[in-house]
Amino acid sequence: MDYFMELFLGGLTRGSIYALIALGYTMVYGIIELINFAHGEIYMIGAFTALITISVLTMLGLNKIAILLIAAVAAIIYSSAYGYTAEKVAYKPLRSAPRLSPLISAIGVSLFLQNYVLLAQTSDFLPFPNLIPQFKFLKAYGGIVQSSEIVIYVTTAIVLVILTFLIKFTKLGKAMRATAQDRDMAMLVGVNVDRVISFTFVVGSATAALGGVLIASHIGQINFYIGFIAGIKAFVAAVLGGIGSMPGAVLGSLVLGWTESFFTGYISSDYEDVFAFLFLVLILIFRPSGILGRTDTDKV
Amino acid sequence: MTALNEIKKSLLVSIWFMFLTFPIMVIKVNTVEQTISWRWNRLAAVGIGSFCLSFVWRYMLKRKETGAKKTALGNGGELSAVQRLLQNPRFFKPALLATAVFALIYPFYFSMYQVNIMTTALIYVILGLGLNIVVGLAGLLDLGYVAFYAVGAYSYALLHIHFGLGFWACLPIGAGLAMMFGIVLGFPVLRLRGDYLAIVTLGFGEIIRLILENWNAFSYGPSGIANIPRPGLFGMHLTIHQSLIYIYFIMVAIVVFTIFVVRRLQDSRIGRAWIALREDEVACQATGIDKTKTKLSAFALGATWAGMGGVVFAAKTTFINPASFTIWESVMILCIVVLGGMGSILGVILGALILMLLPEYMRAFSEYRMLLFAAALVVMMVFRPNGIISAVRRNYEFKGTNEKETA
Amino acid sequence: MDPVLDIKQLTMDFGGLRALDHIDLDVKAGEIAALIGPNGAGKTTFFNCITGIYKPTQGDMFISPGGKNRIRINGLKPNQVTERGMARTFQNIRLFQNMTVLENVMMGRHCRMRAGIPGAVFRNKATREEEKRVVQESYEILEKIGLEQFVNEFAKNLPYGAQRRLEIARAMATEPFILLLDEPAAGMNNQETSELDQLVLKIREEEHISILLIEHDMKFVMSLSDRIFVMDYGKKIAQGTPQEIKSNPAVIRAYLGEDVDA
Ligand SMILES: Nc1ncnc2c1ncn2[C@@H]1O[C@H](COP(=O)(O)OP(=O)(O)O)[C@@H](O)[C@H]1O
Ligand SMILES: [Mg+2]
């Protein structure tokens, strides 16, 4: 039972991180129907920015929690800035291009950012300090769950609440939903579509950055390539839940996190990544609209 | 006034990029010794670089806009200078002859190292031409193309180990197996929409690589397979040097064969259906074209060429392992097609040669090659989606039937 | 003789929206029929359903090429419908923009051609002859439609009216017995519309093709059609000759506020 619990909580941790990344995919897809291939790299940039900030601040000798918070803020700011810039440079000029053009462009951005970090920093894995304090009350549970995992759950939950509020109740959120429904119509009724799209990239990037900082603290190391696999898996989660749907992204992430965790825990860990890809292929073939997505007929 | 404005804009861009690249470019942390190096000169480089580039960027954007307006007015479809030159037989024939002579004498005038590089480049030419059928003609973005390349390479290696089969037997078998893989994988995924197709093919590609990596009993795992024989020539004993020249000529022959086949395909009933499919899937179906069959034929033919390339690759390097078949290899081949010009045979050939040879001859630049290719992907998509040499449609010959014309 | 197109109780739901509600419609051999109705009535959806692009929720669809051999076309793929002789055009022009005008028409011949991949590579005699024949036939269709001056032009570079005609040419190339035209006169000026009028009549007279067309231009519809079907909010509200439709109160109500040429 303890083992089951451990796998369950481990799956929840994975799922939460996937959710933070998957939200960005789903929001961007919902608005401009682009699979933002570079989204994983935005998350990686967040993790690197955090690591650099932490290293600098540690040498200045600040308090650990303060360092962590500042690093998280820096990661959010920088990831958002990268997401914003990528959209402006590589996707915006392609709004009216054939559908594959922005996708190819996104692959370019992804490859560019990977190599940019590789060249400017290093190809080695860098240790990422865990600055999350050990919670005393967890001792009672015999180490089934670490404090970093608790922080991950709580942060993800808070992010979800904030995002839901943002989308349901703010003016920008309404504009986002309108744009997702019908971009031309939204433009007609006076929504500044460019701004909405930029905003979507910023919000998606910010949540991804948070995911980056949290998972890096939890796992303890990063390199330039972490964005790719995490990005693909989060994408799987988004598709699983029904791309374009935000509750879907969260649900899909949790389902993927748990399946992965139980699969590797009970069956085999050799084929962990194969499993995620297989999952992706099977969903797309048998239920491309995902768990919560609607089966729409493309308008002709 | 406007000049001042432009400078102000560029200044803002440059400040923005200096801010953007600041932590990652400037600060380098040594996590072992806990030291930090500050590399301020890079900041200056980014600032100046982005300041200049932003002028170029805006100029090109503006040019693209006016260009778009011009085509909208109806005088588009103009051929570029290169295309006009190519369509002129007085230039084209001698150029073709010169290329042929160069290809024939190349291995005797250049070093073994260079022959080797050229052979690699030629392998990428056929990979590019194969993917061009799938992406360039049929418009199916296949990000798992390298999986078929792996199928070819591993067929040769494994058939050699287990059954002692040689290169010439394995070349058609490898191609055939890759084609079968293409059909089997293609069948369920080809009804997916374009971007989903890209991701699913990526998934398939990675699955195949991960299986090769983990299934030790079958594929010898990450350590790969060594001592794959080079192609034999009527049982003669060849030195390594001779072998390499021999493989070079085999590749030249395969390239010529490929060009021949692709050219004919592209001007055929099937080839037109591929292009129509790329242009508008719904209209294509409503015009009576079987979407699934057409897509599958493109996908399978593309795979066939990848399989062929894989067999030659295994024979050339005599060693293969799963690390040669990552998704980035697929992206690299995609770069060749996109840069060269989707749907354009000459463009793809040039794209492959440029992308493969340039980094070899400009060593300083080779470290940055992936970075530059990546940037090129974006820049090409934004400014020149048709590639260096865009595809030209053929004009058909026909007789007018004047008597039927009603005045 | 059976009607060449016979639709029974066709219903199509999009989520909660019923875009087609138990529609009955038939077209007789050699007839020019029109489907009219305000924007959003479901006319294009009707075309999409019977050509296999949408899967209708309910209903039966039959075609009888030449008034014989009644076939049920439910569940057929769009290309199979076209192969069986029902061709269409699109309201929002859907040409193969980066192919030449001639090639666009040649695409229509595709389903009447046979060459496969071996034929393409080896270019045997049968393939070569087929290619030549198709080029010739396609050119003749262009002449008939009056587009021969554009043969080697890219489709995207044609003027708007010519693009609409090219869609008709492409559909004609599939050798249909019935042609579905979705707002063929949309965006055309008077001159172009009257030329189109002539073209539609010519297609019926010379090629013996039945026609079902969707159109908003009432003068065009009234002068051209033998029978008219009227839809509103997914329901068929009237059918009859132009005379009957003109004086039908339900139709006038549906069009109230819109310009009825009566
Ligand atoms: N693929 C689709 N998904 C959802 N709704 C659709 C789709 N296609 C058409 N509709 C809806 O069906 C109704 C009828 O549309 P349409 O057939 O295009 O009307 P018409 O051609 O008569 O102007 C409209 O309300 C339209 O929004
Ligand atoms: Mg309509």
Side-chain angles (χ1 to χ4, degrees), chain B residues 195-267:
Chain B
D195 41 6
Y196 277 14
L197 178 75
I199 298 290
V200 171
T201 48
L202 184 159
F204 266 133
E206 286 293 278
I207 288 174
I208 288 187
R209 184 181 64 81
L210 289 166
I211 288 177
L212 289 175
E213 216 156 70
N214 286 301
W215 193 3
N216 289 333
F218 172 72
S219 64
Y220 300 86
S223 52
I225 301 173
N227 292 326
I228 304 167
R230 297 197 171 86
L233 181 62
F234 306 118
M236 277 195 288
H237 181 80
L238 298 176
T239 64
I240 291 185
H241 189 139
Q242 286 168 329
S243 267
L244 285 179
I245 294 183
Y246 181 43
I247 298 179
Y248 167 83
F249 279 117
I250 292 174
M251 263 327 293
V252 170
I254 295 181
V255 167
V256 172
F257 168 71
T258 308
I259 295 172
F260 174 81
V261 171
V262 175
R263 261 186 70 103
R264 288 203 151 183
L265 280 173
Q266 156 176 305
D267 277 333

Side-chain angles (χ1 to χ4, degrees), chain C residues 87-218:
Chain C
R88 70 171 290 181
T89 66
F90 292 91
Q91 177 179 352
N92 46 339
I93 300 176
R94 301 190 82 130
L95 289 167
F96 306 123
Q97 301 287 351
N98 290 305
M99 297 175 87
T100 65
V101 167
L102 187 74
E103 282 176 318
N104 267 275
V105 182
M106 287 167 76
M107 288 320 302
R109 302 294 304 149
H110 183 96
C111 58
R112 308 290 170 219
M113 294 169 74
R114 313 213 4 230
I117 290 174
V121 176
F122 298 115
R123 291 217 177 139
N124 52 346
K125 194 146 171 264
T127 310
R128 284 198 311 268
E129 281 174 359
E130 184 183 68
E131 276 287 305
K132 232 162 113 186
R133 204 170 54 238
V134 163
V135 170
Q136 195 57 37
E137 287 165 352
S138 304
Y139 184 71
E140 282 164 20
I141 293 172
L142 283 176
E143 283 183 324
K144 243 178 243 159
I145 309 283
L147 287 173
E148 68 274 20
Q149 74 267 36
F150 297 119
V151 223
N152 286 325
E153 199 67 52
F154 273 127
K156 64 179 175 198
N157 294 335
L158 293 197
Y160 192 78
Q163 294 202 6
R164 286 222 172 272
R165 294 167 82 94
L166 180 54
E167 275 225 336
I168 298 179
R170 184 177 67 187
M172 294 273 297
T174 66
E175 295 178 6
F177 66 86
I178 181 168
L179 197 52
L180 311 178
L181 306 176
D182 197 343
E183 305 201 9
M188 285 188 170
N189 58 29
N190 282 342
Q191 157 92 28
E192 287 171 324
T193 308
S194 72
E195 278 170 18
L196 181 70
D197 198 312
Q198 294 309 306
L199 179 63
V200 171
L201 285 172
K202 187 167 133 188
I203 291 173
R204 190 231 329 240
E205 303 310 330
E206 291 180 8
E207 316 289 327
H208 310 291
I209 296 175
S210 314
I211 287 163
L212 175 62
L213 56 86
I214 296 173
E215 193 40 74
H216 282 298
D217 185 331
M218 281 306 149

Side-chain angles (χ1 to χ4, degrees), chain B residues 300-316:
Chain B
L301 269 175
T304 311
W305 259 267
M308 234 187 300
V311 175
V312 180
F313 171 73
K316 188 191 89 108

